Amino acid sequence: MRIRRTFFIGFSLVIWLLIIYVTVVNRQITLTDGNEDVNNRLLKLEEGIAEQYKLNKHFINDLHTVIEAKKQAAVVDNEIEVHTRKEFKGTVIPVLVLACNRVSVSRCLDQLIQYRPNPDQFPIIVSQDCNHQETTDVINRYGSQILLIQQPDQSDIDVPPKEKKFKGYFKIARHYGWALNQTFFNFNFETVIIVEDDLDVAPDFFEYFLGTYPLLIKDPYLWCISAWNDNGKLGLVDEKKPELLYRTDFFPGLGWMLTKSLWIELCSKWPRAYWDDWIRQPEQRKDRACIRPEISRTRTFGKIGVSNGLFFEKHLKYIKLNEVFVPFTKMNLSYLMKDIYDNELIRTVYQSAVVSYQELKDDKIAYDGPVRIIYHTKDAFKRTAKLLGLMDDFRSGVPRTGYRGIVTFHYKGRTVYLAPNMNWKGYELSWS
């Protein structure tokens, strides 16, 4: 692109020189004295042409120098990009599988082992809580294909009387904290992908995380990469565009990648329970975002758990798991960097036509392209979200998949934005 721009500049310069040249010639052949000898006029013309030739040669040499410098710069940029890709491709990113008492952890492990491109680059660490022997036996069958570590603290947890039935959430938070400490401080890894034992993974699961890893490292306004789309149900995603990725202010979890530097920030204040809602609070998020896919790269099959199947029957079991391999490591994902992404999103969303839910539902929109449904209040959002089949809850004021208050989804063949006014001032904690 830069080379073509340089040639355009060069071409324009040549045209400009030709104009000067013609002007000089015309000036030289203009009769300034009707009695001037023809030989004198020819001599002056020859001198002018010679001088212009020297001038042209000088500019052409400079032009060649500029073009060559641009070529070399392009080569250097390409070498840097190639070097960066090679560097990131060689990065070791372990997968930390959090297990407890599900013997079905084998379903998750089988897929991880089947799809990982390189066991040295993606070692699998299974961290088991609960001292459930049957699950331990299943994990041990994988031998050297995985590394098993076991949470040593199996003591009872003191839980407030009103939260006795939520004791499982306290144990999960304790396990998460211990397992991440082991991964980052004992094994000394710099990055980790966290997977729970009830997740299916897509064929391009590893490619997705490896391709987005540079974004997580380069963009200070990102703090996680997630494989999950909270609104990723059939009918709400564009199945023809599995390569689509988005920024989101909502922490999705369910297969996510974080760095050691983030864990150092969080570990000293890690909560006793409800870690996922805690991490969504503004004090932890600090206006940072995550990357999430159009089509999920994970899907939960764990109907039974500490949440007692909350959301599973109504929502989670309908999540679409990606089946098409997308070569993310070969794609230019710079459009996801904050400045580029924000400008394009705002322009696209607020130039789109405003429609009502009924018009969208009845397919009575006479034009192509994305459309926008506006919400002004929490109740208006929840009402519209329910009608559309979207998740309608908030965490710390942020709707699921929301970015700058905008929830993007696919409906009846078009992109739809459920969006606040353009003068949006930020999330309201009272909407939680």
Side-chain angles (χ1 to χ4, degrees):
M1 185 68 181
R2 283 184 289 183
I3 295 298
R4 283 186 291 180
R5 186 165 58 247
T6 302
F7 275 116
F8 175 76
I9 294 171
F11 179 75
S12 301
L13 182 60
V14 170
I15 296 297
W16 177 72
L17 291 174
L18 287 174
I19 293 171
I20 292 177
Y21 176 80
V22 171
T23 302
V24 170
V25 171
N26 285 338
R27 185 177 68 236
Q28 295 294 341
I29 65 175
T30 300
L31 292 177
T32 57
D33 185 351
N35 298 323
E36 187 176 15
D37 187 79
V38 173
N39 289 333
N40 288 336
R41 283 186 283 134
L42 290 174
L43 181 61
K44 288 181 179 180
L45 177 60
E46 184 179 348
E47 290 174 351
I49 292 173
E51 183 64 28
Q52 192 63 47
Y53 173 78
K54 291 179 182 179
L55 196 60
N56 289 353
K57 187 175 181 181
H58 171 73
F59 277 114
I60 290 171
N61 286 338
D62 284 350
L63 181 60
H64 279 304
T65 301
V66 170
I67 291 173
E68 188 60 32
K70 291 291 185 180
K71 285 181 178 178
Q72 292 177 1
V75 170
V76 171
D77 286 348
N78 184 62
E79 288 177 351
I80 291 173
E81 182 179 352
V82 170
H83 174 73
T84 301
R85 287 184 181 275
K86 287 182 178 178
E87 180 184 2
F88 287 143
K89 281 191 174 182
T91 301
V92 177
I93 307 176
V95 179
L96 177 64
V97 181
L98 279 297
C100 180
N101 57 1
R102 288 191 179 102
V103 295
S104 58
V105 64
S106 60
R107 174 169 164 176
C108 177
L109 292 176
D110 286 345
Q111 293 173 19
L112 289 171
I113 291 170
Q114 176 186 354
Y115 295 137
R116 68 174 170 176
N118 185 339
D120 293 326
Q121 186 173 19
F122 297 101
I124 297 172
I125 304 170
V126 182
S127 179
Q128 188 193 1
D129 199 1
C130 309
N131 275 348
H132 188 254
Q133 189 58 47
E134 290 84 352
T135 301
T136 305
D137 293 341
V138 168
I139 297 169
N140 279 330
R141 291 174 195 160
Y142 289 89
S144 61
Q145 294 181 98
I146 61 98
L147 171 65
L148 173 62
I149 58 176
Q150 292 178 297
Q151 148 74 316
D153 186 359
Q154 295 297 311
S155 62
D156 195 27
I157 298 179
D158 185 24
V159 177
K162 293 183 179 180
E163 298 182 80
K164 288 290 185 182
K165 63 179 180 179
F166 301 122
K167 182 178 287 189
Y169 290 105
F170 287 79
K171 290 184 176 180
I172 288 173
R174 181 173 68 181
H175 185 197
Y176 258 86
W178 179 83
L180 285 168
N181 279 336
Q182 291 295 307
T183 303
F184 287 123
F185 302 138
N186 186 18
F187 300 125
N188 204 30
F189 288 112
E190 295 298 320
T191 313
V192 68
I193 301 167
I194 300 175
V195 173
E196 295 182 0
D197 59 357
D198 61 346
L199 291 182
D200 288 322
V201 301
D204 61 350
F205 174 86
F206 293 96
E207 177 75 3
Y208 169 72
F209 281 109
L210 194 58
T212 53
Y213 172 77
L215 296 171
L216 184 62
I217 301 304
K218 292 178 181 178
D219 189 341
Y221 299 100
L222 286 178
W223 69 330
C224 91
I225 308 292
S226 174
W228 180 256
N229 175 1
D230 276 289
N231 288 314
K233 294 190 294 188
L234 282 171
L236 293 176
V237 295
D238 189 345
E239 295 183 64
K240 296 179 181 179
K241 295 183 179 180
E243 73 280 3
L244 282 181
L245 305 179
Y246 303 85
R247 296 177 74 98
T248 176
D249 294 322
F250 189 91
F251 170 74
L254 291 176
W256 58 290
M257 180 165 63
L258 74 156
T259 62
K260 185 176 186 176
S261 60
L262 178 62
W263 180 243
I264 290 173
E265 176 188 327
L266 298 177
C267 66
S268 62
K269 54 179 180 176
W270 191 248
R272 295 185 66 230
Y274 320 115
W275 70 268
D276 49 350
D277 282 341
W278 172 84
I279 211 172
R280 291 166 178 145
Q281 294 171 358
E283 295 82 3
Q284 280 65 252
R285 189 170 69 82
K286 297 179 180 178
D287 292 326
R288 292 172 292 192
C290 295
I291 299 296
R292 61 95 174 170
E294 170 76 2
I295 303 178
S296 290
R297 266 57 186 188
T298 57
R299 179 177 58 198
T300 178
F301 57 82
K303 178 179 178 180
I304 305 302
V306 293
S307 62
N308 294 318
L310 184 64
F311 294 138
F312 188 87
E313 285 299 327
K314 291 184 178 180
H315 189 83
L316 297 180
K317 74 176 184 180
Y318 300 106
I319 295 292
K320 164 73 175 174
L321 181 68
N322 181 60
E323 299 172 353
V324 179
F325 188 93
V326 177
F328 287 109
T329 57
K330 298 178 181 178
M331 295 171 63
N332 182 358
L333 302 180
S334 61
Y335 72 92
L336 291 161
M337 297 292 282
K338 180 177 173 57
D339 291 343
I340 300 173
Y341 188 89
D342 286 10
N343 289 334
E344 180 63 19
L345 179 72
I346 296 303
R347 183 190 67 81
T348 303
V349 171
Y350 292 101
Q351 285 183 0
S352 63
V354 176
V355 300
S356 68
Y357 161 74
Q358 201 61 45
E359 289 174 319
L360 183 66
K361 177 179 179 295
D362 295 340
D363 204 14
K364 291 184 176 180
I365 303 171
Y367 36 82
D368 296 327
V371 295
R372 173 170 41 121
I373 299 176
I374 299 176
Y375 70 89
H376 301 283
T377 65
K378 175 183 176 181
D379 289 341
F381 177 92
K382 292 179 74 69
R383 182 169 57 252
T384 305
K386 284 181 178 179
L387 290 170
L388 290 164
L390 301 168
M391 296 286 273
D392 68 335
D393 59 324
F394 295 81
R395 293 292 187 272
S396 295
V398 184
R400 292 180 185 265
T401 75
Y403 187 71
R404 297 180 62 92
I406 303 163
V407 172
T408 304
F409 60 99
H410 204 71
Y411 193 87
K412 292 192 174 182
R414 71 172 74 233
T415 300
V416 184
Y417 305 109
L418 183 54
N421 282 334
M422 192 172 182
N423 62 352
W424 179 76
K425 302 300 183 183
Y427 295 108
E428 292 285 346
L429 289 177
S430 62
W431 286 24
S432 297

